[in-house]
Protein backbone atom coordinates (compact mmCIF):
# COMPACT_ATOMS: atom_id res chain seq x y z
CA UNK A 1 0.00 0.00 0.00
CA UNK A 2 1.06 3.55 -0.71
CA UNK A 3 1.21 6.77 1.28
CA UNK A 4 -1.93 8.85 0.65
CA UNK A 5 -1.45 12.60 0.90
CA UNK A 6 -5.13 13.32 1.50
CA UNK A 7 -5.19 11.02 4.52
CA UNK A 8 -2.05 12.61 5.95
CA UNK A 9 -3.56 16.06 5.54
CA UNK A 10 -6.88 15.01 7.12
CA UNK A 11 -5.01 13.43 10.03
CA UNK A 12 -2.96 16.60 10.52
CA UNK A 13 -6.08 18.78 10.57
CA UNK A 14 -7.78 16.38 13.00
CA UNK A 15 -4.81 16.46 15.37
CA UNK A 16 -4.71 20.27 15.26
CA UNK A 17 -8.44 20.65 15.88
CA UNK A 18 -8.48 18.22 18.78
CA UNK A 19 -5.32 19.42 20.53
CA UNK A 20 -4.76 23.04 19.54
CA UNK A 21 -5.02 24.42 23.07
CA UNK A 22 -2.40 22.10 24.52
CA UNK A 23 -0.10 22.38 21.51
CA UNK A 24 -0.32 26.17 21.53
CA UNK A 25 0.49 26.21 25.25
CA UNK A 26 3.68 24.21 24.74
CA UNK A 27 4.72 26.18 21.66
CA UNK A 28 3.90 29.43 23.43
CA UNK A 29 6.17 28.57 26.34
CA UNK A 30 9.04 27.05 24.39
CA UNK A 31 8.91 28.84 21.03
CA UNK A 32 6.92 32.10 21.08
CA UNK A 33 8.07 33.61 24.39
CA UNK A 34 11.79 32.85 23.89
CA UNK A 35 11.64 34.17 20.32
CA UNK A 36 10.00 37.40 21.46
CA UNK A 37 12.40 37.82 24.39
CA UNK A 38 15.46 37.28 22.20
CA UNK A 39 14.06 39.54 19.48
CA UNK A 40 13.44 42.40 21.90
CA UNK A 41 16.51 42.02 24.11
CA UNK A 42 19.04 41.08 21.42
CA UNK A 43 17.92 42.66 18.15
CA UNK A 44 19.91 41.58 15.11
CA UNK A 45 21.56 44.44 13.29
CA UNK A 46 22.10 44.04 9.56
CA UNK A 47 25.33 45.75 8.57
CA UNK A 48 24.58 45.85 4.87
CA UNK A 49 28.18 44.99 4.07
CA UNK A 50 28.49 43.12 0.80
CA UNK A 51 31.47 41.30 -0.69
CA UNK A 52 33.42 42.95 -3.48
CA UNK A 53 32.75 41.91 -7.04
CA UNK A 54 36.12 40.19 -7.27
CA UNK A 55 35.93 38.52 -3.84
CA UNK A 56 37.05 34.91 -3.67
CA UNK A 57 34.96 32.13 -2.13
CA UNK A 58 37.23 32.16 0.93
CA UNK A 59 36.64 35.90 1.43
CA UNK A 60 32.88 35.50 1.06
CA UNK A 61 32.83 32.66 3.57
CA UNK A 62 34.94 34.64 6.02
CA UNK A 63 32.58 37.62 5.71
CA UNK A 64 29.55 35.42 6.27
CA UNK A 65 31.19 33.81 9.30
CA UNK A 66 31.98 37.23 10.78
CA UNK A 67 28.43 38.49 10.20
CA UNK A 68 26.80 35.48 11.85
CA UNK A 69 29.32 34.80 14.61
CA UNK A 70 27.38 36.98 17.04
CA UNK A 71 24.20 35.07 16.21
CA UNK A 72 25.61 31.63 16.94
CA UNK A 73 24.33 31.38 20.50
CA UNK A 74 20.92 32.70 19.45
CA UNK A 75 20.65 30.07 16.74
CA UNK A 76 21.76 27.37 19.20
CA UNK A 77 19.26 28.38 21.90
CA UNK A 78 16.31 28.74 19.54
CA UNK A 79 17.15 25.44 17.83
CA UNK A 80 17.32 23.60 21.14
CA UNK A 81 14.04 25.09 22.34
CA UNK A 82 12.36 24.36 19.03
CA UNK A 83 13.47 20.73 19.16
CA UNK A 84 12.40 20.48 22.80
CA UNK A 85 8.99 21.88 21.88
CA UNK A 86 8.61 19.37 19.05
CA UNK A 87 9.34 16.49 21.43
CA UNK A 88 6.81 17.76 23.98
CA UNK A 89 4.09 18.39 21.38
CA UNK A 90 4.52 14.96 19.82
CA UNK A 91 4.35 13.44 23.29
CA UNK A 92 1.02 15.21 23.76
CA UNK A 93 -0.29 13.64 20.56
CA UNK A 94 0.31 10.04 21.63
CA UNK A 95 -2.84 8.07 22.36
CA UNK A 96 -1.27 5.52 24.66
CA UNK A 97 0.02 8.14 27.08
CA UNK A 98 -2.24 11.21 26.80
CA UNK A 99 0.01 13.17 29.18
CA UNK A 100 -0.61 16.60 30.62
CA UNK A 101 1.47 19.55 29.42
CA UNK A 102 3.77 19.20 32.42
CA UNK A 103 4.21 15.47 31.85
CA UNK A 104 4.87 16.00 28.16
CA UNK A 105 7.58 18.55 28.92
CA UNK A 106 9.10 16.20 31.49
CA UNK A 107 9.09 13.34 28.96
CA UNK A 108 10.63 15.62 26.34
CA UNK A 109 13.50 16.39 28.72
CA UNK A 110 14.24 12.67 28.97
CA UNK A 111 14.21 12.28 25.20
CA UNK A 112 16.33 15.36 24.52
CA UNK A 113 19.75 13.59 24.58
CA UNK A 114 18.57 11.07 21.96
CA UNK A 115 17.08 13.86 19.89
CA UNK A 116 20.29 15.89 19.95
CA UNK A 117 22.41 12.86 19.08
CA UNK A 118 20.06 12.06 16.19
CA UNK A 119 20.20 15.60 14.83
CA UNK A 120 24.00 15.68 15.11
CA UNK A 121 24.22 12.36 13.28
CA UNK A 122 21.93 13.68 10.55
CA UNK A 123 24.05 16.80 10.15
CA UNK A 124 27.22 14.71 10.03
CA UNK A 125 25.76 12.60 7.21
CA UNK A 126 24.33 15.57 5.31
CA UNK A 127 27.39 17.80 5.51
CA UNK A 128 29.73 14.86 5.08
CA UNK A 129 28.13 14.11 1.73
CA UNK A 130 28.29 17.82 0.90
CA UNK A 131 32.00 17.83 1.59
CA UNK A 132 32.63 14.76 -0.54
CA UNK A 133 30.62 16.09 -3.49
CA UNK A 134 31.56 19.78 -3.36
CA UNK A 135 34.18 20.59 -0.73
CA UNK A 136 36.71 17.95 -1.71
CA UNK A 137 36.63 18.76 -5.48
CA UNK A 138 37.05 22.43 -4.61
CA UNK A 139 40.09 21.73 -2.44
CA UNK A 140 41.53 19.57 -5.22
CA UNK A 141 41.10 22.37 -7.75
CA UNK A 142 38.58 20.48 -9.88
CA UNK A 143 35.84 23.01 -10.72
CA UNK A 144 34.15 20.67 -13.18
CA UNK A 145 33.69 17.98 -10.56
CA UNK A 146 32.60 20.63 -8.06
CA UNK A 147 29.81 21.84 -10.37
CA UNK A 148 28.72 18.28 -10.97
CA UNK A 149 28.76 17.70 -7.22
CA UNK A 150 26.53 20.73 -6.66
CA UNK A 151 24.03 19.42 -9.21
CA UNK A 152 23.97 16.03 -7.48
CA UNK A 153 23.99 17.41 -3.93
CA UNK A 154 20.57 19.09 -3.94
CA UNK A 155 18.49 16.02 -4.89
CA UNK A 156 20.59 13.89 -2.50
CA UNK A 157 19.84 16.30 0.35
CA UNK A 158 16.13 16.33 -0.52
CA UNK A 159 16.12 12.53 -0.52
CA UNK A 160 17.80 12.39 2.88
CA UNK A 161 15.37 15.00 4.22
CA UNK A 162 12.48 12.71 3.32
CA UNK A 163 14.18 9.55 4.59
CA UNK A 164 14.94 11.15 7.97
CA UNK A 165 11.65 13.06 8.22
CA UNK A 166 10.02 10.85 10.88
CA UNK A 167 13.11 10.12 12.97
CA UNK A 168 11.90 12.43 15.75
CA UNK A 169 8.50 10.73 15.73
CA UNK A 170 10.31 7.41 16.03
CA UNK A 171 11.95 8.70 19.21
CA UNK A 172 8.72 9.99 20.74
CA UNK A 173 6.06 7.56 19.52
CA UNK A 174 8.03 4.36 18.92
CA UNK A 175 10.19 4.84 22.00
CA UNK A 176 13.51 4.55 20.16
CA UNK A 177 16.43 5.71 22.30
CA UNK A 178 19.31 4.98 19.93
CA UNK A 179 20.04 7.73 17.37
CA UNK A 180 21.23 5.24 14.76
CA UNK A 181 18.09 3.15 15.26
CA UNK A 182 15.94 6.32 15.04
CA UNK A 183 17.37 7.09 11.59
CA UNK A 184 17.10 3.45 10.56
CA UNK A 185 13.46 3.38 11.73
CA UNK A 186 12.62 6.50 9.73
CA UNK A 187 14.38 5.10 6.68
CA UNK A 188 12.42 1.87 6.93
CA UNK A 189 9.03 3.56 7.42
CA UNK A 190 9.48 5.84 4.40
CA UNK A 191 10.67 3.01 2.13
CA UNK A 192 8.58 2.80 -1.03
CA UNK A 193 6.89 6.14 -0.38
CA UNK A 194 9.78 8.60 -0.57
CA UNK A 195 8.59 10.34 -3.74
CA UNK A 196 5.02 10.67 -2.47
CA UNK A 197 6.20 12.10 0.84
CA UNK A 198 8.53 14.52 -0.95
CA UNK A 199 5.71 15.71 -3.19
CA UNK A 200 3.50 16.14 -0.12
CA UNK A 201 6.16 18.28 1.58
CA UNK A 202 6.63 20.22 -1.66
CA UNK A 203 2.93 21.06 -1.96
CA UNK A 204 2.70 22.14 1.66
CA UNK A 205 5.90 24.15 1.37
CA UNK A 206 4.70 26.01 -1.71
CA UNK A 207 1.32 26.75 -0.13
CA UNK A 208 2.97 27.92 3.09
CA UNK A 209 5.42 30.13 1.17
CA UNK A 210 2.59 31.84 -0.73
CA UNK A 211 0.50 32.40 2.40
CA UNK A 212 3.52 33.66 4.34
CA UNK A 213 4.51 36.06 1.56
CA UNK A 214 1.03 37.58 1.39
CA UNK A 215 0.67 37.76 5.17
CA UNK A 216 4.14 39.24 5.66
CA UNK A 217 3.47 41.88 3.03
CA UNK A 218 0.20 42.87 4.66
CA UNK A 219 1.60 42.94 8.19
CA UNK A 220 4.71 44.78 7.05
CA UNK A 221 2.62 47.40 5.27
CA UNK A 222 0.56 48.04 8.41
CA UNK A 223 3.55 48.12 10.75
CA UNK A 224 5.42 50.53 8.48
CA UNK A 225 2.76 53.14 9.22
CA UNK A 226 3.48 52.98 12.96
CA UNK A 227 6.30 54.61 14.98
CA UNK A 228 9.65 52.84 14.75
CA UNK A 229 9.54 51.39 18.28
CA UNK A 230 6.06 49.97 17.84
CA UNK A 231 7.02 48.66 14.41
CA UNK A 232 9.97 46.81 15.92
CA UNK A 233 7.85 45.28 18.68
CA UNK A 234 5.14 44.35 16.18
CA UNK A 235 7.69 42.69 13.90
CA UNK A 236 9.12 40.65 16.76
CA UNK A 237 5.64 39.54 17.86
CA UNK A 238 4.73 38.61 14.29
CA UNK A 239 7.92 36.58 13.84
CA UNK A 240 7.27 34.81 17.14
CA UNK A 241 3.72 33.99 16.09
CA UNK A 242 4.93 32.57 12.78
CA UNK A 243 7.45 30.41 14.63
CA UNK A 244 4.69 29.18 16.94
CA UNK A 245 2.37 28.25 14.07
CA UNK A 246 5.20 26.52 12.20
CA UNK A 247 6.18 24.51 15.29
CA UNK A 248 2.62 23.37 16.04
CA UNK A 249 1.85 22.51 12.43
CA UNK A 250 5.19 20.76 11.96
CA UNK A 251 4.67 18.54 14.99
CA UNK A 252 1.14 17.54 13.95
CA UNK A 253 2.22 16.94 10.36
CA UNK A 254 5.13 14.73 11.39
CA UNK A 255 2.95 12.65 13.71
CA UNK A 256 0.28 12.29 10.99
CA UNK A 257 2.84 11.09 8.44
CA UNK A 258 4.44 8.71 10.93
CA UNK A 259 1.04 7.31 11.94
CA UNK A 260 0.06 6.51 8.37
CA UNK A 261 3.44 5.03 7.49
CA UNK A 262 3.38 2.83 10.56
CA UNK A 263 -0.11 1.60 9.72
CA UNK A 264 1.11 0.69 6.24
CA UNK A 265 4.12 -1.20 7.57
CA UNK A 266 2.75 -2.99 10.61
CA UNK A 267 -0.39 -4.98 11.52
CA UNK A 268 -3.26 -2.94 13.04
CA UNK A 269 -2.90 -4.55 16.47
CA UNK A 270 0.74 -3.39 16.67
CA UNK A 271 -0.05 0.17 15.74
CA UNK A 272 -3.17 0.66 17.82
CA UNK A 273 -1.24 1.46 20.98
CA UNK A 274 0.77 4.17 19.22
CA UNK A 275 -1.97 5.80 17.15
CA UNK A 276 -2.94 9.35 17.96
CA UNK A 277 -6.24 10.92 18.83
CA UNK A 278 -7.45 14.27 20.19
CA UNK A 279 -6.64 14.57 23.88
CA UNK A 280 -9.60 15.18 26.14
Amino acid sequence: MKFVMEKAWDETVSLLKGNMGLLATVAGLLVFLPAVAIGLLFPIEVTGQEPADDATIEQILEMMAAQFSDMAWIILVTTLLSGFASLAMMALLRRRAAPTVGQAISEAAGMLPTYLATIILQMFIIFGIGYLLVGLPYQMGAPGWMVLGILILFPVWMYLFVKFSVSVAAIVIDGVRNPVEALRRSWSLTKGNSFRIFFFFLLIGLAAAIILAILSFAVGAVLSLLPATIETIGTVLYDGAINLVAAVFGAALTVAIHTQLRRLREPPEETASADTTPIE
Side-chain angles (χ1 to χ4, degrees):
M1 297 181 63
K2 295 298 184 180
F3 175 80
V4 180
M5 291 182 283
E6 293 81 0
K7 288 184 179 180
W9 176 255
D10 291 341
E11 178 78 7
T12 301
V13 173
S14 176
L15 290 172
L16 291 173
K17 286 182 178 179
N19 305 287
M20 181 56 73
L22 294 173
L23 295 175
T25 299
V26 173
L29 290 173
L30 299 176
V31 177
F32 177 77
L33 291 180
V36 171
I38 290 175
L40 293 177
L41 297 176
F42 306 97
I44 299 173
E45 297 182 2
V46 181
T47 62
Q49 184 180 6
E50 297 182 358
D53 294 336
D54 58 349
T56 63
I57 294 180
E58 289 85 352
Q59 292 173 330
I60 294 175
L61 292 177
E62 289 177 2
M63 183 175 295
M64 292 175 60
Q67 290 176 344
F68 288 99
S69 60
D70 294 336
M71 297 170 54
W73 74 270
I74 296 178
I75 296 173
L76 178 61
V77 170
T78 54
T79 300
L80 287 174
L81 288 174
S82 178
F84 189 47
S86 295
L87 293 172
M89 287 186 287
M90 289 185 193
L92 281 171
L93 295 174
R94 293 183 308 177
R95 169 179 291 173
R96 64 168 178 254
T100 64
V101 171
Q103 290 171 335
I105 292 177
S106 177
E107 288 186 21
M111 294 181 284
L112 191 59
T114 304
Y115 168 81
L116 293 176
T118 302
I119 296 300
I120 291 172
L121 182 57
Q122 286 185 37
M123 293 299 100
F124 178 80
I125 294 172
I126 290 171
F127 288 109
I129 293 175
Y131 173 75
L132 290 176
L133 291 177
V134 179
L136 189 59
Y138 170 75
Q139 291 182 340
M140 295 174 62
W145 286 106
M146 185 179 71
V147 172
L148 179 60
I150 292 174
L151 295 177
I152 297 174
L153 184 60
F154 180 74
V156 169
W157 275 357
M158 292 300 98
Y159 180 73
L160 291 177
F161 170 78
V162 171
K163 300 304 292 183
F164 296 153
S165 60
V166 293
S167 58
V168 179
I171 296 172
V172 180
I173 299 175
D174 296 334
V176 176
R177 292 297 179 268
N178 183 311
V180 175
E181 182 59 31
L183 296 185
R184 184 183 294 119
R185 173 68 172 166
S186 179
W187 195 285
S188 175
L189 287 174
T190 55
K191 184 178 180 180
N193 287 293
S194 300
F195 178 77
R196 290 172 180 265
I197 298 171
F198 170 75
F199 192 61
F200 184 50
F201 282 138
L202 180 62
L203 290 177
I204 291 178
L206 290 175
I210 294 172
I211 294 173
L212 183 61
I214 296 174
L215 187 60
S216 297
F217 176 81
V219 172
V222 173
L223 291 178
S224 65
L225 301 176
L226 303 176
T229 301
I230 298 179
E231 180 183 2
T232 299
I233 296 175
T235 300
V236 171
L237 292 174
Y238 170 73
D239 291 341
I242 292 297
N243 289 336
L244 182 149
V245 172
V248 170
F249 183 79
L253 181 68
T254 302
V255 171
I257 293 173
H258 174 272
T259 299
Q260 184 180 160
L261 293 175
R262 180 164 177 168
R263 287 171 180 166
L264 293 174
R265 286 283 173 186
E266 299 175 356
E269 61 271 14
E270 294 185 17
T271 62
S273 63
D275 284 348
T276 55
T277 192
I279 300 171
E280 302 295 338

